Amino acid sequence: MALTPRLDLRQSQQLVMTPQLQQAIKLLQLSNLELADYVAEEIERNPLLETASELPGQVEISGETGEGGGTADDTYIREEGTGNDNNDGMIAADTSMNAAVDTTTGNDTALDTDFQDNVFNNDAGSDTATSIAETNASGSLSYDGSSQSSSAGGFSDDRSFEQTLEENENLHDFLTRQMAVLLKTQGDRLIATHLIDMVDEAGYVDQEQVQEIAPRLGCDQEDVEAVLLQLQKMEPSGVFARDLSECLAIQLAEQDRLDPIMQKFIANLDLLGKRDMAGLKRVCGTDQEDLTDMIQEIRTLNPKPGLIYGSESVQPVVPDIFISKNKAGVWIVELNTDTLPKVLMNSHYLAELEDISGGKEAKTFVSDCVANANWLVKALDQRAKTILKVATALVKKQEMFFEYGVRYMKPLILKDIAEEIDMHESTVSRVTNNKFMSCSRGMFELKYFFTSAISSASGGDAHSAESVKYRLKELIDAEEPKKILSDDKLVALMKAEGIDIARRTVAKYREAMKIPSSVQRRRQKNMG
C-alpha cells in the first residue's frame, strides 16, 4: 500500500435535519396555544402571510387534506360523508359492540389528604358542560372563523373568551386601599407597604421576611409587629397571618369566639390532621360533644382568605380532538378546527412585488417568502393529519374505555400506536404531548391512555394500571367505617378479581391518589 496522497470518490447515505424538517418536528409537539403564537410570529416575519377571514385579493394556500387519519384497517376506519364538504376529513371508528354507552364520568378526582382539604370543605361542585359545535372540514388545515353562536333570543356574540373577562380588583390593590384609610403616619404606611408586598395569593406573610423589614427600614421590630397587628384587622378576615393557626385565630377573634379552650384547640391542629381525637380532648380538657362543636365551627372559617381576590383568570383547556358517537353506534373522531390556524397569502401584494423591477436580493426575498409560506402550510396540514391518525388509533385500541369507563381501559404503550399507524414512537410521543381529547366521559390528555400493564392472576389478559387504580379507589370508597380495608386485604380482594398485584404496588397507587392509610381512614370516617 503506497503511502501517498490520492483522491477517492465515495457514496454514502445519511439523514440530514434540514430547517424544514426541524420546523415540521417542532410544529408536531406544540400545543394549540403554542401553535397560534408560532404562526403569529411567522406571519410577522413573512409579509405575504395573513390570518383572517377571506377578503378580496386573498388566496388560501392551505394544502389539500387527504383521507384524514386513514389506516390500513379499512374495515375499522372509514371516511364519513365522502363528497360532503361538511364532513371532509372526519374519521369514523366502526365498533363491533351495540351496547348502550355508559356516560358515567371515568375521571376520578384524587383524594387530597392535606390538613386544610381534610378539615375545610370549600370546594363547590359544578357541572361543566362542553358544547361541541358543528365543524366544517374537520380534517382540513384551515377553517372559517365566521361561525356564529346564537342564543334563544337570536343574539350572536363573536367575542373571544378573553374579551368577555372583567378586570377584578386584586388582593394587593384591595389591601393598599384599606391601608391608606387605616394608617395615618407616613412611617406606618411605609412599613405596611412592605408587608403588603410580601402577602402571597392565599393571604399569608412569611415570618422570616417580616423580621427582615426592621433592619431594611432602620426601625424597631416592635413597630413592625404593631403595624402587622393593625393590618390583621383588615378584610378579608385572616389576612397577614403567618401560619394557619394565626389565620383561624384572627377570624375567631373577630367573632368573639377565641376563648382559652379554642386557643388550645387551634394550637394543636396537627392532632386534628392526624384524627387523634383522644389527644385533642386531653389537651383541650373537653368532652367529645364540645370537641365536635369546635371542629364544626372552624370548618366555617376560610383557611386561605386571599384567594377571594385572586387576580389571575382561569384559562380553560381547549380540546384538540372531539370524540362522539352517532346514532348508528359509530365513533366519530374529528379535529377541533378552531385550534387550527387559517393561513392566507395576499395575492394582490404578491403580484405587486413581482411587477416591481427590483434587484436580485429583492427577488430572492420574495421567492423565499413564497417557499416558506407553502412549506408552513404543508407542515401544518401534516400535523393535523398525524394528530387525527393517532387519535383514531387510540379510539380503536381503547374502545372499551369509551364504551364502559376507566375500569375497562387496556394497557397501551407508544409502540402499539406507532405500529398501528406505521410511524416512529418518537412521532407518537410528540403528537400526544399537550394534546387533549374531549369525549362524553370528560377531557383527557392523549398521554392518559398510555398506561403500564398489571399481569392477570388467572393468566388472562393484562390489566391497565389506570383501571387497577380505579378499582382500588372503588373498593376503598365502598368500605364501611367498622371494616376498613388494609393494604393486605386490598391485595387479597384484587387477586380474587384476577389482578396480580403486590402490596407495595397497592401502597404506591394509594399514595399517588392521595388516599390515606387504613389507620387514618378509620379515624376520618369515625369522625365523619
Side-chain angles (χ1 to χ4, degrees), residues 17 35 54 80 96 119 149 168 190 232-233 268 308 311 344 376 399 412 423 458 468 479:
M17 292 288 289
L35 179 65
E54 285 195 49
E80 283 288 291
S96 59
V119 179
S149 58
N168 298 324
L190 181 61
Q232 288 178 348
K233 299 178 182 179
N268 294 273
I308 301 176
S311 58
L344 305 174
L376 175 62
E399 177 184 352
L412 188 67
M423 289 185 177
S458 58
V468 173
E479 65 186 3

Side-chain angles (χ1 to χ4, degrees), residues 179-228:
M179 179 268 294
V181 178
L182 181 64
L183 302 179
K184 304 303 181 183
T185 65
Q186 193 67 25
D188 290 346
R189 290 183 178 181
L190 181 61
I191 297 174
T193 301
H194 281 72
L195 288 171
I196 291 175
D197 291 338
M198 296 176 182
V199 176
D200 60 18
E201 60 179 7
Y204 290 81
V205 292
D206 185 79
Q207 176 63 25
E208 294 182 359
Q209 294 181 346
V210 172
Q211 294 176 350
E212 294 175 357
I213 294 180
R216 186 185 307 165
L217 299 181
C219 61
D220 296 333
Q221 185 64 30
E222 291 77 9
D223 296 336
V224 176
E225 294 292 336
V227 173
L228 181 60

Side-chain angles (χ1 to χ4, degrees), residues 81-89 135-138:
T82 304
N84 187 349
D85 292 339
N86 290 331
N87 293 320
D88 184 24
T135 57
N136 183 23
S138 300

Side-chain angles (χ1 to χ4, degrees), residues 444-473:
F444 302 93
E445 189 177 7
L446 294 187
K447 285 189 177 297
Y448 172 79
F449 298 98
F450 296 92
T451 59
S452 57
I454 303 295
S455 60
S456 174
S458 58
D461 295 336
H463 302 270
S464 167
E466 201 66 34
S467 65
V468 173
K469 290 180 182 179
Y470 178 77
R471 182 54 184 158
L472 182 64
K473 188 175 186 302

